[in-house]
Amino acid sequence: MATGVLIQVTDHDALPLQGITPNLPNDLQWQSGTPEKIYDPGLGEPEHGSSEQKRQVDPLGTDRASGYRVPMYFDDYYNQVWVLPTSLDFGAIGSESSKQFLVWNAYWRQPTILTSIGVENGDGTRLDGPSTPKVFKPLEYAYYTVTVAADGPATINTVYTLNFSDGMVTRFPITGSRAKLWPFTVNWNNSYRVSYEFRTEVLTTWAGREQRIAHRMTPRKKVTFSTLVHNRDLTRMNNLMWSWQTRAFVLPQITHRTHSSAPMDALAEYMDVVAPVPPWLVAGTTVILDHFGQQEIKVVDRVENLSVYFKAASTTPWSEGTTLYYALTGFFDPQVSAPRKTSTTSSFELTLNVAPLSEIYPDPPAATQTIGGREIFDKRPNWADDVPVTFQHEIQELDYGHGPVARFAPIAFGTMLRSHTYLARDIAEADAMVDLFRRTYGQQGEFYVPTWEHDLFPKEVLQASTQTMRIAGRDIYDAYQGTTVNRGLAVRFKDGSMLYKLVLSIDAISDADGDDSVITITETWGQRIDPDDVEYVSWLLLFRFASDTLTIEFLTDRVAQFQSTLRSLENLTPEV
């Protein structure tokens, strides 16, 4: 009797266990031998029909097995050759760029040979890697690098053909476009506008409840500006519009920049920048180096402390004080207006549509203030401009064309639309508004905003350990009892500080002090509040953006303003 056992692990592998004596029935024999004699993968895998394998053998002859081989999860990955990814998209490039792909022989026991690699439309592209013919041992892999030069056809449409010894042919497409660096400056006589656009599907029930579905996780982006050119620059601009208008450009977003703190030598891989490092300067970001007209496009590989490492070394030295601009890659509108001021001067009105997925969007920072699980947006509007406010109530009318008209209000609450203009005194304030817009995915999310109006007038001092605010008269009770909208309070003190509370109930009270309204909040005030110290008390309403588009209008390269229309909502329990 044999002193070893061979365990079949998969259709391709067997595991020998030495020193084990199997306990077999008396009428069976154990077929001894090497794993190859018991099951030889080189003979091929069992397919449809029957197959013969020597396993346990009875005295009368060979045990015979028949059946159908069911595909396994194992077959999804092994016993084939992989080329990963299946294609490379370089997007719009303005400088030399490289990407890798992997060739993997996923056969467990069978080598394969990459006999040759063909190329179509290969102008301006280069393939680096193991030379052919290349023998791939079982489970061996190798990387190949595709490099696309900045010079070449406007459209990148290269195809590499990988030919293998078993007859397999894999076509590997390389796509993208070459972008030109925009050479002209912004005319600040006109504004510089940056627009962000999400896409939200809003489903509204008969009762006014909303379900909002965000269809974009990152916004689409547009930049609108004008440039004034004259003399030779007008000729350059005309030539550019004739030859390249429909192709990709790389532009600096001039409002987002930092500077180098030390010179960078030629062939150096990193540049030191001044503190603090801006939040947009992360791995994968495209930047434009600019120093008195000398420009170069670079891609950030990583940032370590105050050192910015690039994916490719610069071929020229850069002085201290070099500007690093956040770069945008995209396409201009198919129609560009260019009114002539004189025969040698023209103003070009341009809109750049930033290529989707060409930007790296780090997660926006968390909200600085929240209450009840929702963010508070506490930036005050610019009261130098009017604040349009619209009240809406849904009305259904039944009119037969004669006699009385029946009117119904199917929604039990009203809606307020407020259009605010905000002033951003620096880039940080402008970015804070964009961060809110990104956290809410446009119309999808919701947040609290004070009305910034004198809505409520406390009748008495509010003690720290109490939860009520008494308002003279019953007007507040009559107007808001049972409301599902006015469920928050914002107290602004004369020193500029704010206190936010949520409303539990609104009731009426009649006692020796009069017939008044009482607002009960969900927690104690936490501090003594004297009405003489209060500038005003506003409703804190729940809003969402009424549009999926947010436009930041830069008046200078640091100061901006933006308008936003907000739509009030029922203050329901927030969804998790």
Side-chain angles (χ1 to χ4, degrees), residues 516-527:
D516 298 326
S517 304
V518 175
I519 298 177
T520 303
I521 59 176
T522 57
E523 59 184 14
T524 61
W525 292 105
Q527 66 185 81

Side-chain angles (χ1 to χ4, degrees), residues 3-126:
T3 58
V5 176
L6 186 71
I7 298 178
Q8 187 78 25
V9 179
T10 69
D11 278 348
H12 308 274
D13 294 276
L15 177 64
L17 302 178
Q18 302 296 332
I20 298 178
T21 301
N23 184 14
L24 300 177
N26 294 328
D27 57 345
L28 292 180
Q29 299 180 13
W30 183 259
Q31 178 67 43
S32 63
T34 64
E36 287 76 10
K37 291 181 180 178
I38 295 178
Y39 179 72
D40 187 354
L43 298 178
E45 301 178 10
E47 300 296 342
H48 300 276
S50 63
S51 63
E52 186 173 314
Q53 302 178 32
K54 291 185 177 180
R55 298 176 295 166
Q56 298 175 358
V57 183
D58 62 26
L60 299 179
T62 300
D63 188 17
R64 187 178 299 271
S66 63
Y68 177 84
R69 182 180 178 278
V70 179
M72 299 182 297
Y73 185 69
F74 177 91
D75 300 314
D76 293 338
Y77 291 94
Y78 295 101
N79 296 322
Q80 55 190 304
V81 176
W82 289 96
V83 179
L84 301 171
T86 57
S87 64
L88 289 178
D89 183 6
F90 280 79
I93 64 168
S95 60
E96 184 175 280
S97 183
S98 298
K99 291 188 177 185
Q100 288 186 323
F101 67 91
L102 171 75
V103 178
W104 177 35
N105 176 24
Y107 284 96
W108 277 50
R109 299 180 182 274
Q110 175 182 322
T112 191
I113 302 174
L114 178 59
T115 57
S116 63
I117 301 178
V119 60
E120 304 172 20
N121 304 321
D123 292 345
T125 62
R126 185 179 75 249

Side-chain angles (χ1 to χ4, degrees), residues 101-105 130 134 136 140-144:
F101 67 91
L102 171 75
V103 178
W104 177 35
N105 176 24
K134 161 65 177 171
F136 286 85
E140 182 183 359
Y141 63 88
Y143 283 100
Y144 287 82

Side-chain angles (χ1 to χ4, degrees), residues 452-575:
W452 305 109
E453 299 174 5
H454 299 252
D455 295 321
L456 304 168
F457 299 89
K459 184 177 180 178
E460 56 193 16
V461 173
L462 309 179
Q463 301 298 332
S465 59
T466 64
Q467 295 178 242
T468 59
M469 174 189 292
R470 186 161 180 162
I471 312 295
R474 293 171 56 95
D475 292 345
I476 297 299
Y477 169 74
D478 293 337
Y480 301 106
Q481 59 172 318
T483 179
T484 57
V485 176
N486 303 70
R487 307 299 293 179
L489 301 178
V491 181
R492 180 175 176 84
F493 297 94
K494 291 180 179 179
D495 62 3
S497 60
M498 300 290 298
L499 179 66
Y500 302 102
K501 297 293 181 180
L502 295 181
V503 173
L504 180 63
S505 63
I506 301 175
D507 304 297
I509 185 172
S510 296
D511 56 17
D513 293 328
D515 293 334
D516 298 326
S517 304
V518 175
I519 298 177
T520 303
I521 59 176
T522 57
E523 59 184 14
T524 61
W525 292 105
Q527 66 185 81
R528 184 181 183 275
I529 301 176
D530 192 322
D532 292 336
D533 297 329
V534 174
E535 183 177 350
Y536 54 79
V537 179
S538 300
W539 290 116
L540 182 69
L541 302 183
L542 189 65
F543 285 95
R544 67 167 172 87
F545 287 105
S547 170
D548 276 324
T549 301
L550 175 68
T551 299
I552 310 293
E553 181 182 11
F554 287 90
L555 308 177
T556 70
D557 60 353
R558 313 311 289 169
V559 178
Q561 67 178 10
F562 44 92
Q563 292 183 339
S564 180
T565 299
L566 307 179
R567 183 182 184 89
S568 67
L569 302 169
E570 269 192 297
N571 196 341
L572 305 174
T573 303
E575 296 181 0

Side-chain angles (χ1 to χ4, degrees), residues 243-531:
S243 63
W244 204 270
Q245 180 182 342
T246 61
R247 302 174 184 175
F249 286 90
V250 178
L251 280 71
Q253 186 170 338
I254 56 178
T255 57
H256 287 64
R257 63 180 185 266
T258 188
H259 299 87
S260 65
S261 59
M264 185 177 76
D265 297 331
L267 303 181
E269 296 181 348
Y270 70 92
M271 174 179 285
D272 293 328
V273 297
V274 298
V277 176
W280 50 263
L281 194 55
V282 296
T285 298
T286 302
V287 298
I288 297 175
L289 307 184
D290 184 284
H291 188 70
F292 293 104
Q294 176 188 349
Q295 293 183 317
E296 185 177 356
I297 301 172
K298 308 299 291 183
V299 178
V300 177
D301 181 65
R302 67 187 187 277
V303 179
E304 296 180 359
N305 298 321
L306 296 178
S307 298
V308 180
Y309 288 80
F310 302 116
K311 289 190 174 182
S314 177
T315 58
T316 59
W318 292 89
S319 303
E320 179 182 353
T322 295
T323 303
L324 284 80
Y325 286 106
Y326 182 76
L328 302 174
T329 302
F331 301 84
F332 286 122
D333 280 348
Q335 293 187 1
V336 174
S337 175
R340 265 43 177 178
K341 307 297 182 182
T342 69
S343 61
T344 59
T345 303
S346 179
S347 176
F348 283 74
E349 314 299 328
L350 300 150
T351 296
L352 180 79
N353 301 282
V354 179
L357 306 181
S358 65
E359 295 183 272
I360 302 298
Y361 276 105
D363 290 336
T368 56
Q369 291 190 85
T370 61
I371 186 171
R374 293 186 175 101
E375 179 173 358
I376 301 174
F377 180 58
D378 63 351
K379 186 172 181 60
R380 300 177 68 188
N382 182 7
W383 290 104
D385 298 324
D386 290 342
V387 177
V389 175
T390 302
F391 292 94
Q392 290 183 350
H393 285 268
E394 184 70 23
I395 295 297
Q396 298 288 333
E397 290 188 349
L398 180 61
D399 186 358
Y400 292 101
H402 58 85
V405 175
R407 291 169 56 87
F408 305 93
I411 300 177
F413 57 91
T415 299
M416 174 189 286
L417 294 173
R418 298 177 66 95
S419 297
H420 291 176
T421 299
Y422 299 97
L423 181 66
R425 294 164 292 185
D426 54 34
I427 297 301
E429 290 189 6
D431 285 345
M433 185 64 180
V434 177
D435 290 339
L436 169 65
F437 194 64
R438 288 185 56 208
R439 283 193 294 269
T440 61
Y441 301 103
Q443 297 184 80
Q444 197 269 344
E446 51 196 33
F447 48 93
Y448 285 110
V449 181
T451 63
W452 305 109
E453 299 174 5
H454 299 252
D455 295 321
L456 304 168
F457 299 89
K459 184 177 180 178
E460 56 193 16
V461 173
L462 309 179
Q463 301 298 332
S465 59
T466 64
Q467 295 178 242
T468 59
M469 174 189 292
R470 186 161 180 162
I471 312 295
R474 293 171 56 95
D475 292 345
I476 297 299
Y477 169 74
D478 293 337
Y480 301 106
Q481 59 172 318
T483 179
T484 57
V485 176
N486 303 70
R487 307 299 293 179
L489 301 178
V491 181
R492 180 175 176 84
F493 297 94
K494 291 180 179 179
D495 62 3
S497 60
M498 300 290 298
L499 179 66
Y500 302 102
K501 297 293 181 180
L502 295 181
V503 173
L504 180 63
S505 63
I506 301 175
D507 304 297
I509 185 172
S510 296
D511 56 17
D513 293 328
D515 293 334
D516 298 326
S517 304
V518 175
I519 298 177
T520 303
I521 59 176
T522 57
E523 59 184 14
T524 61
W525 292 105
Q527 66 185 81
R528 184 181 183 275
I529 301 176
D530 192 322

